Amino acid sequence: MQSDFHAERASMLHVGIIMDGNGRWAVRRGLSRLRGHEAGVEAIRRVVEAAPDQGVGTLTLYAFSSDNWRRPRTEVAGLMALLRFYLANEVQSLVKNGVRLKVIGRRDRLPDGIAAAIGRAEQATAQGRTLNLRIAVDYSARDAILNAAARLAGAAGAPTRQQFSDLVTGEADLRDVDLIIRTSGEQRLSDFLLWEGAYAELHFTETMWPDFDAEHLAEAVSAFHHRERRFGGLDALPLAPAASL
Ligand code: FPP
């Protein structure tokens, strides 16, 4: 049985975005890398606002990977401060726009107070029905798969794909990701949505994330609709059935 929330999104796309290029965007302008990340937050606002009108029901944004801890301490601290700021200041507008926020990834390594702020933001936006916004923080797709497997260790019998999927994604009946966009010309997945993205279409653009806007999203979604998705069969399917494949 699909939960109501995800049943409502059955005909809407799940788009994932690897928001890359903030640092280069800033350095090219003689600015600090952190200024690039700040401009990246403005791009998040634009895309969150534009997504529902483009048929996107779920948007998963890669904000901080578990490997990003290896960046210089000042940059990590800056990114965490931005996340804190986003959670404190964005909730009102998310609620107003009907956005439900969920943060995926580990919370136990985040600086003091951020896990609690995430919990508050998720609770405040829980009734949102226009967009399912998922922000990946301290996220690793391989760890998500590993954790799901560990939770099943000792269970009798093999899980169904749907059961395993629910554990990996942390959401019952989340739609598989249809389209993964990566900005800044890089062409790799970097440990993002490896399970949910088994049949995702990939869209790579030279645009740096801080320059990304509603038109770039529309271009990616339009390109997606021109792809023929056969899911291993011979006939094109208009939209993917979720994890049941
Ligand atoms: C990749 O660009 C971007 C990141 C590692 C961070 C993405 C973060 C944001 C867009 C803002 C913070 C998010 C929230 C929700 C507050 P890069 O720094 O690797 O760019 P580069 O490849 O040009 O160096």
Side-chain angles (χ1 to χ4, degrees):
M1 259 274 283
Q2 272 196 322
S3 61
D4 286 352
F5 182 74
H6 292 296
E8 284 163 20
R9 316 197 123 56
S11 62
M12 299 182 84
L13 297 179
H14 179 177
V15 173
I17 308 185
I18 302 174
M19 309 181 289
D20 201 2
N22 296 348
R24 278 164 287 164
W25 180 93
V27 169
R28 281 175 198 170
R29 285 163 176 75
L31 303 168
S32 70
R33 290 178 55 83
L34 190 56
R35 183 65 197 93
H37 296 311
E38 285 168 7
V41 174
E42 289 163 33
I44 291 178
R45 279 194 200 107
R46 290 194 292 270
V47 168
V48 165
E49 211 172 299
D53 287 343
Q54 299 187 17
V56 178
T58 296
L59 183 64
T60 303
L61 302 177
Y62 207 0
F64 191 87
S65 84
S66 294
D67 290 324
N68 286 152
W69 292 115
R70 289 162 37 203
R71 292 192 174 202
R73 283 164 74 100
T74 49
E75 182 163 346
V76 170
L79 279 165
M80 291 298 149
L82 263 184
L83 177 61
R84 205 188 286 276
F85 182 83
Y86 183 86
L87 292 166
N89 293 280
E90 213 64 17
V91 167
Q92 235 179 341
S93 121
L94 295 178
V95 171
K96 189 169 126 265
N97 292 320
V99 179
R100 184 180 95 155
L101 174 70
K102 182 166 167 56
V103 175
I104 59 171
R106 285 181 66 163
R107 295 187 188 182
D108 58 311
R109 300 192 291 194
L110 300 176
D112 279 356
I114 294 196
I118 290 172
R120 284 194 298 274
E122 286 179 337
Q123 206 170 13
T125 60
Q127 300 311 316
R129 285 294 176 273
T130 308
L131 181 71
N132 183 25
L133 173 64
R134 305 165 78 235
I135 299 187
V137 177
D138 195 359
Y139 173 84
S140 152
R142 288 195 292 195
D143 284 349
I145 295 167
L146 204 58
N147 291 337
R151 286 182 61 184
L152 286 167
T160 63
R161 283 191 184 179
Q162 188 60 62
Q163 287 165 336
F164 194 73
S165 196
D166 291 352
L167 286 174
V168 170
T169 62
E171 288 193 64
D173 305 317
L174 178 76
R175 182 187 177 77
D176 274 356
V177 63
D178 298 285
L179 168 66
I180 295 179
I181 300 169
R182 184 170 189 146
T183 56
S184 88
E186 306 293 342
Q187 302 195 358
R188 56 182 171 271
L189 289 176
S190 302
D191 203 8
F192 184 55
L193 305 183
L194 299 181
W195 169 272
E196 314 76 320
Y199 277 96
E201 299 291 331
L202 307 179
H203 180 91
F204 300 112
T205 168
E206 294 293 325
T207 305
M208 298 287 156
W209 177 248
D211 291 328
F212 199 88
D213 61 18
E215 277 182 38
H216 295 105
L217 180 65
E219 192 181 300
V221 169
S222 162
F224 167 84
H225 285 301
H226 285 90
R227 305 263 179 96
E228 196 171 274
R229 306 185 80 199
R230 294 189 297 277
F231 301 98
L234 297 179
D235 299 320
L237 294 176
L239 276 176
S244 52
L245 273 169

Short mmCIF file of all heavy atoms in Angstrom, two decimals, residues 19-25 33 36-41 44 61-65 68 71 75 79 82-84 86-87 135 137 184 186 208-209, ligand 1:
data_model
loop_
_atom_site.label_atom_id
_atom_site.label_comp_id
_atom_site.label_asym_id
_atom_site.label_seq_id
_atom_site.Cartn_x
_atom_site.Cartn_y
_atom_site.Cartn_z
N MET A 19 24.54 19.57 -6.76
CA MET A 19 24.70 21.02 -6.93
C MET A 19 26.19 21.36 -6.94
O MET A 19 26.76 21.71 -5.93
CB MET A 19 23.99 21.74 -5.77
CG MET A 19 22.54 21.29 -5.57
SD MET A 19 21.71 22.15 -4.22
CE MET A 19 22.51 21.47 -2.77
N ASP A 20 26.81 21.25 -8.09
CA ASP A 20 28.26 21.37 -8.16
C ASP A 20 28.69 22.68 -8.80
O ASP A 20 27.97 23.22 -9.66
CB ASP A 20 28.80 20.17 -8.97
CG ASP A 20 30.26 19.89 -8.69
OD1 ASP A 20 30.85 20.59 -7.84
OD2 ASP A 20 30.80 18.97 -9.30
N GLY A 21 29.85 23.17 -8.41
CA GLY A 21 30.44 24.33 -9.08
C GLY A 21 30.42 25.62 -8.27
O GLY A 21 30.86 26.66 -8.77
N ASN A 22 29.96 25.55 -7.03
CA ASN A 22 29.91 26.78 -6.21
C ASN A 22 31.29 27.41 -6.05
O ASN A 22 31.44 28.63 -6.16
CB ASN A 22 29.39 26.46 -4.81
CG ASN A 22 27.97 25.95 -4.81
OD1 ASN A 22 27.28 26.04 -5.81
ND2 ASN A 22 27.52 25.43 -3.68
N GLY A 23 32.27 26.55 -5.77
CA GLY A 23 33.63 27.05 -5.51
C GLY A 23 34.21 27.72 -6.74
O GLY A 23 34.70 28.86 -6.67
N ARG A 24 34.13 27.04 -7.89
CA ARG A 24 34.69 27.62 -9.13
C ARG A 24 33.96 28.91 -9.52
O ARG A 24 34.57 29.88 -9.95
CB ARG A 24 34.61 26.60 -10.27
CG ARG A 24 35.74 25.59 -10.26
CD ARG A 24 35.44 24.41 -11.12
NE ARG A 24 34.44 23.55 -10.50
CZ ARG A 24 33.75 22.61 -11.14
NH1 ARG A 24 33.93 22.42 -12.42
NH2 ARG A 24 32.89 21.86 -10.48
N TRP A 25 32.64 28.92 -9.34
CA TRP A 25 31.85 30.11 -9.64
C TRP A 25 32.39 31.31 -8.85
O TRP A 25 32.55 32.40 -9.39
CB TRP A 25 30.39 29.84 -9.28
CG TRP A 25 29.42 30.95 -9.52
CD1 TRP A 25 28.67 31.15 -10.63
CD2 TRP A 25 29.09 32.02 -8.60
NE1 TRP A 25 27.89 32.27 -10.47
CE2 TRP A 25 28.13 32.82 -9.24
CE3 TRP A 25 29.51 32.35 -7.31
CZ2 TRP A 25 27.57 33.94 -8.64
CZ3 TRP A 25 28.97 33.49 -6.71
CH2 TRP A 25 28.00 34.26 -7.37
N ARG A 33 35.19 30.97 -1.60
CA ARG A 33 34.36 29.80 -1.94
C ARG A 33 33.04 29.83 -1.18
O ARG A 33 32.00 29.42 -1.69
CB ARG A 33 35.14 28.51 -1.62
CG ARG A 33 36.32 28.27 -2.57
CD ARG A 33 37.08 27.01 -2.16
NE ARG A 33 36.19 25.86 -2.10
CZ ARG A 33 35.83 25.12 -3.17
NH1 ARG A 33 36.33 25.40 -4.36
NH2 ARG A 33 35.02 24.10 -3.03
N GLY A 36 30.36 31.47 -2.87
CA GLY A 36 29.76 30.60 -3.89
C GLY A 36 28.67 29.72 -3.28
O GLY A 36 27.61 29.52 -3.88
N HIS A 37 28.93 29.21 -2.08
CA HIS A 37 27.91 28.38 -1.43
C HIS A 37 26.69 29.22 -1.07
O HIS A 37 25.55 28.77 -1.16
CB HIS A 37 28.50 27.71 -0.18
CG HIS A 37 29.60 26.74 -0.49
ND1 HIS A 37 29.49 25.78 -1.47
CD2 HIS A 37 30.84 26.57 0.04
CE1 HIS A 37 30.62 25.07 -1.53
NE2 HIS A 37 31.45 25.54 -0.62
N GLU A 38 26.95 30.49 -0.67
CA GLU A 38 25.80 31.37 -0.35
C GLU A 38 24.95 31.59 -1.60
O GLU A 38 23.72 31.54 -1.55
CB GLU A 38 26.31 32.72 0.18
CG GLU A 38 26.81 32.63 1.61
CD GLU A 38 27.57 33.88 2.04
OE1 GLU A 38 27.59 34.88 1.28
OE2 GLU A 38 28.16 33.83 3.12
N ALA A 39 25.64 31.80 -2.72
CA ALA A 39 24.89 31.98 -3.98
C ALA A 39 24.17 30.68 -4.33
O ALA A 39 23.10 30.69 -4.95
CB ALA A 39 25.85 32.39 -5.11
N GLY A 40 24.75 29.55 -3.91
CA GLY A 40 24.11 28.25 -4.13
C GLY A 40 22.78 28.15 -3.39
O GLY A 40 21.84 27.51 -3.87
N VAL A 41 22.70 28.76 -2.23
CA VAL A 41 21.44 28.74 -1.47
C VAL A 41 20.35 29.51 -2.23
O VAL A 41 19.19 29.11 -2.27
CB VAL A 41 21.63 29.30 -0.04
CG1 VAL A 41 20.30 29.40 0.68
CG2 VAL A 41 22.59 28.42 0.75
N ILE A 44 19.01 27.29 -4.76
CA ILE A 44 18.08 26.32 -4.15
C ILE A 44 16.69 26.95 -4.07
O ILE A 44 15.69 26.34 -4.44
CB ILE A 44 18.56 25.89 -2.73
CG1 ILE A 44 19.83 25.04 -2.85
CG2 ILE A 44 17.46 25.13 -1.99
CD1 ILE A 44 20.41 24.60 -1.51
N LEU A 61 18.21 17.16 -3.05
CA LEU A 61 19.38 18.01 -3.31
C LEU A 61 20.57 17.53 -2.49
O LEU A 61 20.46 17.30 -1.28
CB LEU A 61 19.05 19.46 -2.92
CG LEU A 61 17.85 20.10 -3.62
CD1 LEU A 61 17.61 21.51 -3.07
CD2 LEU A 61 18.08 20.16 -5.14
N TYR A 62 21.71 17.40 -3.15
CA TYR A 62 22.93 16.92 -2.48
C TYR A 62 23.69 18.13 -1.94
O TYR A 62 24.38 18.83 -2.67
CB TYR A 62 23.78 16.20 -3.53
CG TYR A 62 24.72 15.12 -3.03
CD1 TYR A 62 24.81 14.77 -1.70
CD2 TYR A 62 25.51 14.42 -3.94
CE1 TYR A 62 25.65 13.75 -1.28
CE2 TYR A 62 26.37 13.40 -3.53
CZ TYR A 62 26.43 13.07 -2.20
OH TYR A 62 27.28 12.07 -1.79
N ALA A 63 23.54 18.38 -0.64
CA ALA A 63 24.15 19.58 -0.05
C ALA A 63 25.52 19.31 0.57
O ALA A 63 26.39 20.17 0.57
CB ALA A 63 23.22 20.17 1.00
N PHE A 64 25.70 18.11 1.14
CA PHE A 64 26.97 17.83 1.83
C PHE A 64 27.16 16.32 1.88
O PHE A 64 26.37 15.61 2.50
CB PHE A 64 26.92 18.41 3.25
CG PHE A 64 28.24 18.41 3.96
CD1 PHE A 64 29.13 19.48 3.80
CD2 PHE A 64 28.61 17.36 4.79
CE1 PHE A 64 30.36 19.48 4.47
CE2 PHE A 64 29.83 17.36 5.44
CZ PHE A 64 30.70 18.43 5.29
N SER A 65 28.18 15.83 1.19
CA SER A 65 28.39 14.39 1.18
C SER A 65 29.24 13.98 2.38
O SER A 65 29.95 14.81 2.97
CB SER A 65 29.09 13.97 -0.11
OG SER A 65 30.49 14.14 0.02
N ASN A 68 32.63 15.10 2.15
CA ASN A 68 32.94 16.53 2.23
C ASN A 68 33.58 16.93 3.57
O ASN A 68 34.12 18.04 3.69
CB ASN A 68 31.68 17.39 1.99
CG ASN A 68 31.24 17.43 0.53
OD1 ASN A 68 30.07 17.61 0.22
ND2 ASN A 68 32.18 17.28 -0.40
N ARG A 71 37.09 18.39 3.46
CA ARG A 71 37.41 19.76 3.02
C ARG A 71 38.03 20.56 4.18
O ARG A 71 37.87 20.17 5.35
CB ARG A 71 36.14 20.46 2.53
CG ARG A 71 35.63 19.82 1.27
CD ARG A 71 34.58 20.65 0.60
NE ARG A 71 34.25 20.02 -0.67
CZ ARG A 71 33.71 20.62 -1.71
NH1 ARG A 71 33.38 21.88 -1.62
NH2 ARG A 71 33.46 19.97 -2.81
N GLU A 75 35.90 25.78 5.45
CA GLU A 75 34.81 25.60 4.46
C GLU A 75 33.69 24.74 5.06
O GLU A 75 32.50 25.04 4.87
CB GLU A 75 35.34 24.96 3.17
CG GLU A 75 34.22 24.82 2.14
CD GLU A 75 34.71 24.59 0.72
OE1 GLU A 75 35.91 24.79 0.45
OE2 GLU A 75 33.88 24.20 -0.11
N LEU A 79 29.85 25.89 5.55
CA LEU A 79 28.69 25.15 5.01
C LEU A 79 27.70 24.81 6.13
O LEU A 79 26.48 24.91 5.94
CB LEU A 79 29.17 23.87 4.31
CG LEU A 79 29.69 24.07 2.88
CD1 LEU A 79 30.48 22.85 2.41
CD2 LEU A 79 28.53 24.36 1.93
N LEU A 82 25.79 27.82 7.02
CA LEU A 82 24.75 28.09 6.02
C LEU A 82 23.54 27.19 6.22
O LEU A 82 22.39 27.62 6.09
CB LEU A 82 25.30 27.80 4.62
CG LEU A 82 25.84 28.96 3.80
CD1 LEU A 82 26.22 28.45 2.42
CD2 LEU A 82 24.78 30.05 3.67
N LEU A 83 23.81 25.93 6.54
CA LEU A 83 22.72 24.99 6.78
C LEU A 83 21.90 25.45 7.98
O LEU A 83 20.67 25.46 7.94
CB LEU A 83 23.29 23.58 7.03
CG LEU A 83 22.29 22.49 7.37
CD1 LEU A 83 21.27 22.28 6.25
CD2 LEU A 83 23.01 21.16 7.66
N ARG A 84 22.60 25.88 9.03
CA ARG A 84 21.91 26.37 10.24
C ARG A 84 21.03 27.57 9.88
O ARG A 84 19.87 27.67 10.29
CB ARG A 84 22.97 26.77 11.27
CG ARG A 84 22.51 26.74 12.71
CD ARG A 84 23.56 27.33 13.61
NE ARG A 84 24.73 26.51 13.84
CZ ARG A 84 24.81 25.54 14.75
NH1 ARG A 84 23.78 25.28 15.51
NH2 ARG A 84 25.91 24.85 14.91
N TYR A 86 19.85 28.35 6.91
CA TYR A 86 18.75 27.92 6.02
C TYR A 86 17.61 27.36 6.87
O TYR A 86 16.44 27.70 6.66
CB TYR A 86 19.28 26.86 5.05
CG TYR A 86 18.25 26.39 4.04
CD1 TYR A 86 18.05 27.08 2.84
CD2 TYR A 86 17.47 25.25 4.26
CE1 TYR A 86 17.11 26.66 1.91
CE2 TYR A 86 16.54 24.82 3.34
CZ TYR A 86 16.36 25.52 2.16
OH TYR A 86 15.43 25.10 1.25
N LEU A 87 17.95 26.50 7.82
CA LEU A 87 16.91 25.86 8.63
C LEU A 87 16.17 26.88 9.48
O LEU A 87 14.96 26.78 9.70
CB LEU A 87 17.54 24.79 9.54
CG LEU A 87 18.11 23.57 8.81
CD1 LEU A 87 18.99 22.74 9.74
CD2 LEU A 87 16.97 22.69 8.24
N ILE A 135 16.82 17.12 1.48
CA ILE A 135 18.18 17.67 1.39
C ILE A 135 19.14 16.66 2.01
O ILE A 135 18.94 16.22 3.15
CB ILE A 135 18.26 19.05 2.09
CG1 ILE A 135 17.30 20.03 1.38
CG2 ILE A 135 19.68 19.58 2.04
CD1 ILE A 135 17.39 21.46 1.84
N VAL A 137 22.45 15.62 3.65
CA VAL A 137 23.52 16.22 4.45
C VAL A 137 24.27 15.10 5.16
O VAL A 137 23.63 14.23 5.78
CB VAL A 137 22.93 17.20 5.50
CG1 VAL A 137 24.05 17.76 6.38
CG2 VAL A 137 22.17 18.33 4.84
N SER A 184 27.93 22.01 -13.51
CA SER A 184 29.36 22.39 -13.55
C SER A 184 30.22 21.53 -14.46
O SER A 184 31.44 21.62 -14.41
CB SER A 184 29.99 22.45 -12.15
OG SER A 184 30.49 21.18 -11.77
N GLU A 186 30.86 18.37 -14.47
CA GLU A 186 31.36 17.07 -13.97
C GLU A 186 30.34 16.00 -14.33
O GLU A 186 29.13 16.24 -14.33
CB GLU A 186 31.53 17.12 -12.45
CG GLU A 186 32.40 18.27 -11.93
CD GLU A 186 33.86 18.15 -12.33
OE1 GLU A 186 34.28 17.02 -12.72
OE2 GLU A 186 34.57 19.15 -12.28
N MET A 208 27.13 26.41 -13.79
CA MET A 208 27.55 26.30 -12.38
C MET A 208 26.31 26.42 -11.49
O MET A 208 25.40 27.20 -11.82
CB MET A 208 28.55 27.43 -12.03
CG MET A 208 29.83 27.38 -12.83
SD MET A 208 30.88 26.02 -12.27
CE MET A 208 31.86 25.74 -13.73
N TRP A 209 26.29 25.71 -10.40
CA TRP A 209 25.08 25.69 -9.57
C TRP A 209 24.56 27.09 -9.20
O TRP A 209 23.35 27.36 -9.32
CB TRP A 209 25.27 24.82 -8.32
CG TRP A 209 24.04 24.88 -7.45
CD1 TRP A 209 23.92 25.45 -6.24
CD2 TRP A 209 22.71 24.40 -7.81
NE1 TRP A 209 22.61 25.35 -5.79
CE2 TRP A 209 21.86 24.72 -6.73
CE3 TRP A 209 22.19 23.74 -8.92
CZ2 TRP A 209 20.51 24.39 -6.74
CZ3 TRP A 209 20.83 23.42 -8.93
CH2 TRP A 209 20.01 23.75 -7.83
C1 FPP B 1 29.68 21.58 -4.66
O1 FPP B 1 30.38 22.67 -5.16
C2 FPP B 1 28.76 22.04 -3.64
C3 FPP B 1 28.79 21.65 -2.35
C4 FPP B 1 29.77 20.69 -1.81
C5 FPP B 1 27.87 22.21 -1.37
C6 FPP B 1 26.48 22.49 -1.87
C7 FPP B 1 25.89 23.42 -0.91
C8 FPP B 1 25.02 24.40 -1.19
C9 FPP B 1 24.44 24.62 -2.52
C10 FPP B 1 24.61 25.37 -0.15
C11 FPP B 1 24.39 24.80 1.22
C12 FPP B 1 23.11 24.10 1.30
C13 FPP B 1 22.14 24.33 2.21
C14 FPP B 1 20.90 23.53 2.18
C15 FPP B 1 22.27 25.34 3.22
P1 FPP B 1 31.95 22.73 -4.95
O2 FPP B 1 32.24 23.53 -3.73
O3 FPP B 1 32.52 21.36 -4.94
O4 FPP B 1 32.36 23.51 -6.21
P2 FPP B 1 33.72 23.33 -7.03
O5 FPP B 1 33.67 21.94 -7.63
O6 FPP B 1 33.62 24.40 -8.05
O7 FPP B 1 34.86 23.52 -6.07
#
